[in-house]
PDB file of all heavy atoms in Angstrom:
ATOM      1  N   LEU A   1     -19.116  -8.655  -2.730  1.00 92.00           N
ATOM      2  CA  LEU A   1     -19.098  -7.270  -2.252  1.00 92.00           C
ATOM      3  C   LEU A   1     -20.477  -6.834  -1.760  1.00 92.00           C
ATOM      4  O   LEU A   1     -20.588  -6.116  -0.758  1.00 92.00           O
ATOM      5  CB  LEU A   1     -18.602  -6.333  -3.347  1.00 92.00           C
ATOM      6  CG  LEU A   1     -17.143  -6.517  -3.787  1.00 92.00           C
ATOM      7  CD1 LEU A   1     -16.820  -5.586  -4.945  1.00 92.00           C
ATOM      8  CD2 LEU A   1     -16.179  -6.331  -2.630  1.00 92.00           C
ATOM      9  N   LEU A   2     -21.521  -7.273  -2.443  1.00 91.00           N
ATOM     10  CA  LEU A   2     -22.880  -6.972  -1.983  1.00 91.00           C
ATOM     11  C   LEU A   2     -23.153  -7.615  -0.624  1.00 91.00           C
ATOM     12  O   LEU A   2     -23.770  -6.997   0.248  1.00 91.00           O
ATOM     13  CB  LEU A   2     -23.913  -7.434  -3.010  1.00 91.00           C
ATOM     14  CG  LEU A   2     -24.041  -6.565  -4.254  1.00 91.00           C
ATOM     15  CD1 LEU A   2     -24.820  -7.299  -5.336  1.00 91.00           C
ATOM     16  CD2 LEU A   2     -24.704  -5.248  -3.910  1.00 91.00           C
ATOM     17  N   ALA A   3     -22.693  -8.849  -0.444  1.00 89.00           N
ATOM     18  CA  ALA A   3     -22.867  -9.532   0.846  1.00 89.00           C
ATOM     19  C   ALA A   3     -22.140  -8.782   1.954  1.00 89.00           C
ATOM     20  O   ALA A   3     -22.657  -8.651   3.073  1.00 89.00           O
ATOM     21  CB  ALA A   3     -22.376 -10.974   0.751  1.00 89.00           C
ATOM     22  N   ILE A   4     -20.950  -8.279   1.650  1.00 87.00           N
ATOM     23  CA  ILE A   4     -20.201  -7.497   2.640  1.00 87.00           C
ATOM     24  C   ILE A   4     -20.951  -6.207   2.962  1.00 87.00           C
ATOM     25  O   ILE A   4     -21.036  -5.795   4.120  1.00 87.00           O
ATOM     26  CB  ILE A   4     -18.780  -7.193   2.122  1.00 87.00           C
ATOM     27  CG1 ILE A   4     -17.964  -8.493   2.042  1.00 87.00           C
ATOM     28  CG2 ILE A   4     -18.079  -6.163   2.995  1.00 87.00           C
ATOM     29  CD1 ILE A   4     -16.649  -8.355   1.298  1.00 87.00           C
ATOM     30  N   ALA A   5     -21.516  -5.577   1.949  1.00 87.00           N
ATOM     31  CA  ALA A   5     -22.220  -4.311   2.144  1.00 87.00           C
ATOM     32  C   ALA A   5     -23.464  -4.462   3.011  1.00 87.00           C
ATOM     33  O   ALA A   5     -23.793  -3.558   3.783  1.00 87.00           O
ATOM     34  CB  ALA A   5     -22.601  -3.709   0.794  1.00 87.00           C
ATOM     35  N   VAL A   6     -24.161  -5.575   2.901  1.00 88.00           N
ATOM     36  CA  VAL A   6     -25.384  -5.750   3.695  1.00 88.00           C
ATOM     37  C   VAL A   6     -25.109  -6.291   5.090  1.00 88.00           C
ATOM     38  O   VAL A   6     -25.996  -6.292   5.931  1.00 88.00           O
ATOM     39  CB  VAL A   6     -26.437  -6.639   2.981  1.00 88.00           C
ATOM     40  CG1 VAL A   6     -26.874  -6.007   1.677  1.00 88.00           C
ATOM     41  CG2 VAL A   6     -25.935  -8.044   2.762  1.00 88.00           C
ATOM     42  N   ALA A   7     -23.887  -6.731   5.329  1.00 84.00           N
ATOM     43  CA  ALA A   7     -23.503  -7.207   6.664  1.00 84.00           C
ATOM     44  C   ALA A   7     -22.175  -6.568   7.071  1.00 84.00           C
ATOM     45  O   ALA A   7     -21.171  -7.255   7.254  1.00 84.00           O
ATOM     46  CB  ALA A   7     -23.413  -8.725   6.682  1.00 84.00           C
ATOM     47  N   PRO A   8     -22.158  -5.232   7.208  1.00 77.00           N
ATOM     48  CA  PRO A   8     -20.887  -4.548   7.483  1.00 77.00           C
ATOM     49  C   PRO A   8     -20.286  -4.874   8.844  1.00 77.00           C
ATOM     50  O   PRO A   8     -19.104  -4.643   9.068  1.00 77.00           O
ATOM     51  CB  PRO A   8     -21.260  -3.066   7.387  1.00 77.00           C
ATOM     52  CG  PRO A   8     -22.718  -3.016   7.670  1.00 77.00           C
ATOM     53  CD  PRO A   8     -23.262  -4.309   7.138  1.00 77.00           C
ATOM     54  N   GLU A   9     -21.096  -5.440   9.738  1.00 79.00           N
ATOM     55  CA  GLU A   9     -20.566  -5.793  11.062  1.00 79.00           C
ATOM     56  C   GLU A   9     -19.610  -6.980  10.996  1.00 79.00           C
ATOM     57  O   GLU A   9     -18.821  -7.200  11.898  1.00 79.00           O
ATOM     58  CB  GLU A   9     -21.704  -6.074  12.048  1.00 79.00           C
ATOM     59  CG  GLU A   9     -22.543  -7.300  11.742  1.00 79.00           C
ATOM     60  CD  GLU A   9     -23.612  -7.082  10.676  1.00 79.00           C
ATOM     61  OE1 GLU A   9     -23.808  -5.958  10.204  1.00 79.00           O
ATOM     62  OE2 GLU A   9     -24.260  -8.069  10.313  1.00 79.00           O
ATOM     63  N   GLU A  10     -19.673  -7.742   9.911  1.00 80.00           N
ATOM     64  CA  GLU A  10     -18.747  -8.858   9.733  1.00 80.00           C
ATOM     65  C   GLU A  10     -17.474  -8.339   9.094  1.00 80.00           C
ATOM     66  O   GLU A  10     -17.500  -7.779   8.012  1.00 80.00           O
ATOM     67  CB  GLU A  10     -19.375  -9.939   8.852  1.00 80.00           C
ATOM     68  CG  GLU A  10     -20.537 -10.640   9.507  1.00 80.00           C
ATOM     69  CD  GLU A  10     -21.045 -11.784   8.658  1.00 80.00           C
ATOM     70  OE1 GLU A  10     -20.243 -12.424   7.966  1.00 80.00           O
ATOM     71  OE2 GLU A  10     -22.255 -12.014   8.703  1.00 80.00           O
ATOM     72  N   ASN A  11     -16.369  -8.506   9.789  1.00 81.00           N
ATOM     73  CA  ASN A  11     -15.089  -8.033   9.292  1.00 81.00           C
ATOM     74  C   ASN A  11     -14.512  -9.067   8.323  1.00 81.00           C
ATOM     75  O   ASN A  11     -14.202 -10.179   8.704  1.00 81.00           O
ATOM     76  CB  ASN A  11     -14.132  -7.798  10.469  1.00 81.00           C
ATOM     77  CG  ASN A  11     -12.864  -7.118  10.023  1.00 81.00           C
ATOM     78  OD1 ASN A  11     -12.787  -6.563   8.930  1.00 81.00           O
ATOM     79  ND2 ASN A  11     -11.861  -7.147  10.876  1.00 81.00           N
ATOM     80  N   VAL A  12     -14.402  -8.699   7.053  1.00 82.00           N
ATOM     81  CA  VAL A  12     -13.876  -9.591   6.027  1.00 82.00           C
ATOM     82  C   VAL A  12     -12.503  -9.085   5.632  1.00 82.00           C
ATOM     83  O   VAL A  12     -12.361  -7.943   5.189  1.00 82.00           O
ATOM     84  CB  VAL A  12     -14.798  -9.647   4.792  1.00 82.00           C
ATOM     85  CG1 VAL A  12     -14.215 -10.548   3.724  1.00 82.00           C
ATOM     86  CG2 VAL A  12     -16.186 -10.098   5.189  1.00 82.00           C
ATOM     87  N   THR A  13     -11.499  -9.920   5.779  1.00 84.00           N
ATOM     88  CA  THR A  13     -10.147  -9.513   5.419  1.00 84.00           C
ATOM     89  C   THR A  13      -9.913  -9.730   3.928  1.00 84.00           C
ATOM     90  O   THR A  13     -10.631 -10.489   3.272  1.00 84.00           O
ATOM     91  CB  THR A  13      -9.098 -10.324   6.202  1.00 84.00           C
ATOM     92  OG1 THR A  13      -9.170 -11.694   5.792  1.00 84.00           O
ATOM     93  CG2 THR A  13      -9.311 -10.211   7.705  1.00 84.00           C
ATOM     94  N   VAL A  14      -8.899  -9.077   3.425  1.00 87.00           N
ATOM     95  CA  VAL A  14      -8.518  -9.245   2.024  1.00 87.00           C
ATOM     96  C   VAL A  14      -8.126 -10.692   1.765  1.00 87.00           C
ATOM     97  O   VAL A  14      -8.503 -11.270   0.742  1.00 87.00           O
ATOM     98  CB  VAL A  14      -7.372  -8.280   1.645  1.00 87.00           C
ATOM     99  CG1 VAL A  14      -6.836  -8.578   0.258  1.00 87.00           C
ATOM    100  CG2 VAL A  14      -7.839  -6.841   1.732  1.00 87.00           C
ATOM    101  N   VAL A  15      -7.402 -11.281   2.693  1.00 90.00           N
ATOM    102  CA  VAL A  15      -6.987 -12.677   2.535  1.00 90.00           C
ATOM    103  C   VAL A  15      -8.204 -13.595   2.478  1.00 90.00           C
ATOM    104  O   VAL A  15      -8.272 -14.499   1.643  1.00 90.00           O
ATOM    105  CB  VAL A  15      -6.028 -13.098   3.683  1.00 90.00           C
ATOM    106  CG1 VAL A  15      -5.735 -14.588   3.634  1.00 90.00           C
ATOM    107  CG2 VAL A  15      -4.737 -12.287   3.601  1.00 90.00           C
ATOM    108  N   ALA A  16      -9.189 -13.348   3.324  1.00 89.00           N
ATOM    109  CA  ALA A  16     -10.408 -14.160   3.297  1.00 89.00           C
ATOM    110  C   ALA A  16     -11.134 -13.994   1.968  1.00 89.00           C
ATOM    111  O   ALA A  16     -11.638 -14.966   1.398  1.00 89.00           O
ATOM    112  CB  ALA A  16     -11.321 -13.790   4.457  1.00 89.00           C
ATOM    113  N   LEU A  17     -11.179 -12.776   1.478  1.00 90.00           N
ATOM    114  CA  LEU A  17     -11.812 -12.505   0.188  1.00 90.00           C
ATOM    115  C   LEU A  17     -11.071 -13.223  -0.935  1.00 90.00           C
ATOM    116  O   LEU A  17     -11.684 -13.869  -1.786  1.00 90.00           O
ATOM    117  CB  LEU A  17     -11.842 -10.997  -0.060  1.00 90.00           C
ATOM    118  CG  LEU A  17     -12.554 -10.481  -1.292  1.00 90.00           C
ATOM    119  CD1 LEU A  17     -14.015 -10.915  -1.301  1.00 90.00           C
ATOM    120  CD2 LEU A  17     -12.455  -8.967  -1.365  1.00 90.00           C
ATOM    121  N   GLN A  18      -9.755 -13.153  -0.922  1.00 94.00           N
ATOM    122  CA  GLN A  18      -8.953 -13.858  -1.923  1.00 94.00           C
ATOM    123  C   GLN A  18      -9.186 -15.365  -1.847  1.00 94.00           C
ATOM    124  O   GLN A  18      -9.350 -16.020  -2.883  1.00 94.00           O
ATOM    125  CB  GLN A  18      -7.461 -13.568  -1.717  1.00 94.00           C
ATOM    126  CG  GLN A  18      -7.041 -12.187  -2.124  1.00 94.00           C
ATOM    127  CD  GLN A  18      -5.593 -11.942  -1.802  1.00 94.00           C
ATOM    128  OE1 GLN A  18      -5.284 -11.283  -0.826  1.00 94.00           O
ATOM    129  NE2 GLN A  18      -4.709 -12.488  -2.603  1.00 94.00           N
ATOM    130  N   ASN A  19      -9.196 -15.901  -0.650  1.00 94.00           N
ATOM    131  CA  ASN A  19      -9.407 -17.344  -0.484  1.00 94.00           C
ATOM    132  C   ASN A  19     -10.788 -17.767  -0.963  1.00 94.00           C
ATOM    133  O   ASN A  19     -10.936 -18.804  -1.612  1.00 94.00           O
ATOM    134  CB  ASN A  19      -9.202 -17.751   0.975  1.00 94.00           C
ATOM    135  CG  ASN A  19      -7.759 -17.685   1.400  1.00 94.00           C
ATOM    136  OD1 ASN A  19      -6.851 -17.681   0.569  1.00 94.00           O
ATOM    137  ND2 ASN A  19      -7.533 -17.599   2.694  1.00 94.00           N
ATOM    138  N   GLU A  20     -11.798 -16.976  -0.641  1.00 91.00           N
ATOM    139  CA  GLU A  20     -13.167 -17.303  -1.047  1.00 91.00           C
ATOM    140  C   GLU A  20     -13.300 -17.324  -2.567  1.00 91.00           C
ATOM    141  O   GLU A  20     -13.991 -18.172  -3.139  1.00 91.00           O
ATOM    142  CB  GLU A  20     -14.149 -16.289  -0.463  1.00 91.00           C
ATOM    143  CG  GLU A  20     -15.590 -16.575  -0.819  1.00 91.00           C
ATOM    144  CD  GLU A  20     -16.556 -15.603  -0.165  1.00 91.00           C
ATOM    145  OE1 GLU A  20     -16.225 -15.013   0.873  1.00 91.00           O
ATOM    146  OE2 GLU A  20     -17.657 -15.446  -0.714  1.00 91.00           O
ATOM    147  N   LEU A  21     -12.618 -16.393  -3.219  1.00 94.00           N
ATOM    148  CA  LEU A  21     -12.722 -16.276  -4.670  1.00 94.00           C
ATOM    149  C   LEU A  21     -11.643 -17.053  -5.419  1.00 94.00           C
ATOM    150  O   LEU A  21     -11.705 -17.171  -6.644  1.00 94.00           O
ATOM    151  CB  LEU A  21     -12.661 -14.798  -5.075  1.00 94.00           C
ATOM    152  CG  LEU A  21     -13.769 -13.919  -4.501  1.00 94.00           C
ATOM    153  CD1 LEU A  21     -13.486 -12.458  -4.776  1.00 94.00           C
ATOM    154  CD2 LEU A  21     -15.118 -14.332  -5.070  1.00 94.00           C
ATOM    155  N   GLY A  22     -10.639 -17.544  -4.694  1.00 95.00           N
ATOM    156  CA  GLY A  22      -9.550 -18.265  -5.335  1.00 95.00           C
ATOM    157  C   GLY A  22      -8.676 -17.364  -6.189  1.00 95.00           C
ATOM    158  O   GLY A  22      -8.222 -17.769  -7.262  1.00 95.00           O
ATOM    159  N   LEU A  23      -8.437 -16.140  -5.711  1.00 95.00           N
ATOM    160  CA  LEU A  23      -7.659 -15.167  -6.467  1.00 95.00           C
ATOM    161  C   LEU A  23      -6.358 -14.826  -5.759  1.00 95.00           C
ATOM    162  O   LEU A  23      -6.285 -14.839  -4.540  1.00 95.00           O
ATOM    163  CB  LEU A  23      -8.459 -13.868  -6.644  1.00 95.00           C
ATOM    164  CG  LEU A  23      -9.781 -13.952  -7.389  1.00 95.00           C
ATOM    165  CD1 LEU A  23     -10.498 -12.610  -7.343  1.00 95.00           C
ATOM    166  CD2 LEU A  23      -9.562 -14.398  -8.818  1.00 95.00           C
ATOM    167  N   THR A  24      -5.347 -14.481  -6.554  1.00 95.00           N
ATOM    168  CA  THR A  24      -4.115 -13.948  -5.997  1.00 95.00           C
ATOM    169  C   THR A  24      -4.303 -12.464  -5.719  1.00 95.00           C
ATOM    170  O   THR A  24      -5.313 -11.861  -6.120  1.00 95.00           O
ATOM    171  CB  THR A  24      -2.945 -14.117  -6.985  1.00 95.00           C
ATOM    172  OG1 THR A  24      -3.196 -13.295  -8.137  1.00 95.00           O
ATOM    173  CG2 THR A  24      -2.760 -15.567  -7.405  1.00 95.00           C
ATOM    174  N   THR A  25      -3.331 -11.859  -5.072  1.00 91.00           N
ATOM    175  CA  THR A  25      -3.386 -10.423  -4.804  1.00 91.00           C
ATOM    176  C   THR A  25      -3.486  -9.631  -6.102  1.00 91.00           C
ATOM    177  O   THR A  25      -4.296  -8.709  -6.215  1.00 91.00           O
ATOM    178  CB  THR A  25      -2.131  -9.987  -4.018  1.00 91.00           C
ATOM    179  OG1 THR A  25      -2.088 -10.722  -2.792  1.00 91.00           O
ATOM    180  CG2 THR A  25      -2.138  -8.507  -3.723  1.00 91.00           C
ATOM    181  N   ASP A  26      -2.668  -9.996  -7.075  1.00 93.00           N
ATOM    182  CA  ASP A  26      -2.699  -9.293  -8.365  1.00 93.00           C
ATOM    183  C   ASP A  26      -4.040  -9.461  -9.068  1.00 93.00           C
ATOM    184  O   ASP A  26      -4.567  -8.510  -9.652  1.00 93.00           O
ATOM    185  CB  ASP A  26      -1.580  -9.802  -9.284  1.00 93.00           C
ATOM    186  CG  ASP A  26      -0.192  -9.375  -8.821  1.00 93.00           C
ATOM    187  OD1 ASP A  26      -0.092  -8.443  -7.999  1.00 93.00           O
ATOM    188  OD2 ASP A  26       0.789  -9.983  -9.290  1.00 93.00           O
ATOM    189  N   GLU A  27      -4.592 -10.657  -9.014  1.00 96.00           N
ATOM    190  CA  GLU A  27      -5.886 -10.903  -9.663  1.00 96.00           C
ATOM    191  C   GLU A  27      -7.005 -10.120  -8.993  1.00 96.00           C
ATOM    192  O   GLU A  27      -7.859  -9.536  -9.677  1.00 96.00           O
ATOM    193  CB  GLU A  27      -6.210 -12.402  -9.653  1.00 96.00           C
ATOM    194  CG  GLU A  27      -5.313 -13.222 -10.553  1.00 96.00           C
ATOM    195  CD  GLU A  27      -5.461 -14.718 -10.329  1.00 96.00           C
ATOM    196  OE1 GLU A  27      -5.810 -15.148  -9.206  1.00 96.00           O
ATOM    197  OE2 GLU A  27      -5.206 -15.460 -11.291  1.00 96.00           O
ATOM    198  N   LEU A  28      -7.005 -10.086  -7.667  1.00 95.00           N
ATOM    199  CA  LEU A  28      -8.035  -9.326  -6.952  1.00 95.00           C
ATOM    200  C   LEU A  28      -7.937  -7.848  -7.322  1.00 95.00           C
ATOM    201  O   LEU A  28      -8.949  -7.204  -7.594  1.00 95.00           O
ATOM    202  CB  LEU A  28      -7.916  -9.516  -5.445  1.00 95.00           C
ATOM    203  CG  LEU A  28      -8.940  -8.766  -4.594  1.00 95.00           C
ATOM    204  CD1 LEU A  28     -10.367  -9.153  -4.965  1.00 95.00           C
ATOM    205  CD2 LEU A  28      -8.683  -9.012  -3.111  1.00 95.00           C
ATOM    206  N   SER A  29      -6.734  -7.305  -7.358  1.00 94.00           N
ATOM    207  CA  SER A  29      -6.544  -5.912  -7.759  1.00 94.00           C
ATOM    208  C   SER A  29      -7.038  -5.681  -9.177  1.00 94.00           C
ATOM    209  O   SER A  29      -7.699  -4.678  -9.461  1.00 94.00           O
ATOM    210  CB  SER A  29      -5.068  -5.517  -7.658  1.00 94.00           C
ATOM    211  OG  SER A  29      -4.647  -5.494  -6.323  1.00 94.00           O
ATOM    212  N   PHE A  30      -6.735  -6.605 -10.077  1.00 96.00           N
ATOM    213  CA  PHE A  30      -7.179  -6.491 -11.459  1.00 96.00           C
ATOM    214  C   PHE A  30      -8.701  -6.419 -11.539  1.00 96.00           C
ATOM    215  O   PHE A  30      -9.259  -5.542 -12.213  1.00 96.00           O
ATOM    216  CB  PHE A  30      -6.667  -7.672 -12.287  1.00 96.00           C
ATOM    217  CG  PHE A  30      -7.262  -7.730 -13.670  1.00 96.00           C
ATOM    218  CD1 PHE A  30      -6.761  -6.953 -14.693  1.00 96.00           C
ATOM    219  CD2 PHE A  30      -8.347  -8.563 -13.937  1.00 96.00           C
ATOM    220  CE1 PHE A  30      -7.318  -6.994 -15.964  1.00 96.00           C
ATOM    221  CE2 PHE A  30      -8.913  -8.611 -15.208  1.00 96.00           C
ATOM    222  CZ  PHE A  30      -8.401  -7.826 -16.221  1.00 96.00           C
ATOM    223  N   TYR A  31      -9.380  -7.333 -10.862  1.00 96.00           N
ATOM    224  CA  TYR A  31     -10.839  -7.370 -10.925  1.00 96.00           C
ATOM    225  C   TYR A  31     -11.486  -6.175 -10.224  1.00 96.00           C
ATOM    226  O   TYR A  31     -12.506  -5.655 -10.685  1.00 96.00           O
ATOM    227  CB  TYR A  31     -11.383  -8.700 -10.397  1.00 96.00           C
ATOM    228  CG  TYR A  31     -11.161  -9.822 -11.372  1.00 96.00           C
ATOM    229  CD1 TYR A  31     -10.279 -10.852 -11.098  1.00 96.00           C
ATOM    230  CD2 TYR A  31     -11.822  -9.841 -12.596  1.00 96.00           C
ATOM    231  CE1 TYR A  31     -10.061 -11.873 -12.011  1.00 96.00           C
ATOM    232  CE2 TYR A  31     -11.614 -10.852 -13.515  1.00 96.00           C
ATOM    233  CZ  TYR A  31     -10.736 -11.866 -13.223  1.00 96.00           C
ATOM    234  OH  TYR A  31     -10.519 -12.869 -14.137  1.00 96.00           O
ATOM    235  N   MET A  32     -10.904  -5.726  -9.120  1.00 95.00           N
ATOM    236  CA  MET A  32     -11.436  -4.531  -8.457  1.00 95.00           C
ATOM    237  C   MET A  32     -11.270  -3.319  -9.379  1.00 95.00           C
ATOM    238  O   MET A  32     -12.187  -2.503  -9.497  1.00 95.00           O
ATOM    239  CB  MET A  32     -10.737  -4.301  -7.116  1.00 95.00           C
ATOM    240  CG  MET A  32     -11.031  -5.370  -6.077  1.00 95.00           C
ATOM    241  SD  MET A  32     -12.757  -5.419  -5.529  1.00 95.00           S
ATOM    242  CE  MET A  32     -12.820  -3.975  -4.487  1.00 95.00           C
ATOM    243  N   ASN A  33     -10.128  -3.216 -10.033  1.00 96.00           N
ATOM    244  CA  ASN A  33      -9.909  -2.112 -10.975  1.00 96.00           C
ATOM    245  C   ASN A  33     -10.880  -2.195 -12.152  1.00 96.00           C
ATOM    246  O   ASN A  33     -11.357  -1.176 -12.649  1.00 96.00           O
ATOM    247  CB  ASN A  33      -8.463  -2.100 -11.477  1.00 96.00           C
ATOM    248  CG  ASN A  33      -7.505  -1.566 -10.452  1.00 96.00           C
ATOM    249  OD1 ASN A  33      -7.851  -0.726  -9.631  1.00 96.00           O
ATOM    250  ND2 ASN A  33      -6.281  -2.056 -10.483  1.00 96.00           N
ATOM    251  N   ARG A  34     -11.159  -3.396 -12.599  1.00 97.00           N
ATOM    252  CA  ARG A  34     -12.097  -3.559 -13.719  1.00 97.00           C
ATOM    253  C   ARG A  34     -13.505  -3.102 -13.311  1.00 97.00           C
ATOM    254  O   ARG A  34     -14.172  -2.401 -14.063  1.00 97.00           O
ATOM    255  CB  ARG A  34     -12.117  -5.014 -14.177  1.00 97.00           C
ATOM    256  CG  ARG A  34     -13.171  -5.281 -15.222  1.00 97.00           C
ATOM    257  CD  ARG A  34     -12.661  -5.961 -16.446  1.00 97.00           C
ATOM    258  NE  ARG A  34     -13.765  -6.538 -17.197  1.00 97.00           N
ATOM    259  CZ  ARG A  34     -14.456  -5.867 -18.123  1.00 97.00           C
ATOM    260  NH1 ARG A  34     -14.157  -4.630 -18.409  1.00 97.00           N
ATOM    261  NH2 ARG A  34     -15.443  -6.457 -18.758  1.00 97.00           N
ATOM    262  N   LEU A  35     -13.946  -3.488 -12.116  1.00 96.00           N
ATOM    263  CA  LEU A  35     -15.260  -3.041 -11.640  1.00 96.00           C
ATOM    264  C   LEU A  35     -15.288  -1.523 -11.475  1.00 96.00           C
ATOM    265  O   LEU A  35     -16.306  -0.884 -11.750  1.00 96.00           O
ATOM    266  CB  LEU A  35     -15.620  -3.738 -10.326  1.00 96.00           C
ATOM    267  CG  LEU A  35     -15.811  -5.258 -10.403  1.00 96.00           C
ATOM    268  CD1 LEU A  35     -16.130  -5.816  -9.018  1.00 96.00           C
ATOM    269  CD2 LEU A  35     -16.878  -5.643 -11.411  1.00 96.00           C
ATOM    270  N   ASP A  36     -14.172  -0.960 -11.055  1.00 96.00           N
ATOM    271  CA  ASP A  36     -14.053   0.495 -10.952  1.00 96.00           C
ATOM    272  C   ASP A  36     -14.141   1.117 -12.348  1.00 96.00           C
ATOM    273  O   ASP A  36     -14.887   2.077 -12.571  1.00 96.00           O
ATOM    274  CB  ASP A  36     -12.732   0.854 -10.279  1.00 96.00           C
ATOM    275  CG  ASP A  36     -12.631   2.313  -9.868  1.00 96.00           C
ATOM    276  OD1 ASP A  36     -13.503   3.123 -10.245  1.00 96.00           O
ATOM    277  OD2 ASP A  36     -11.661   2.645  -9.174  1.00 96.00           O
TER     278      ASP A  36
END
């Protein structure tokens, strides 16, 4: 997320984020909610 914030011109999709982290949709939501 920090990398995305410092390079906002790069469009990162949710699918790309999931693939990079090896997470499912539910897992990504869980971790985003936890950080929140």
Side-chain angles (χ1 to χ4, degrees):
L1 295 176
L2 285 166
I4 292 169
V6 298
E9 66 279 355
E10 292 185 33
N11 188 16
V12 178
T13 66
V14 172
V15 173
L17 185 58
Q18 287 176 258
N19 289 341
E20 181 177 336
L21 300 171
L23 299 174
T24 66
T25 301
D26 290 343
E27 291 169 332
L28 180 58
S29 292
F30 171 82
Y31 286 112
M32 293 294 286
N33 284 330
R34 174 128 163 88
L35 295 179
D36 192 351

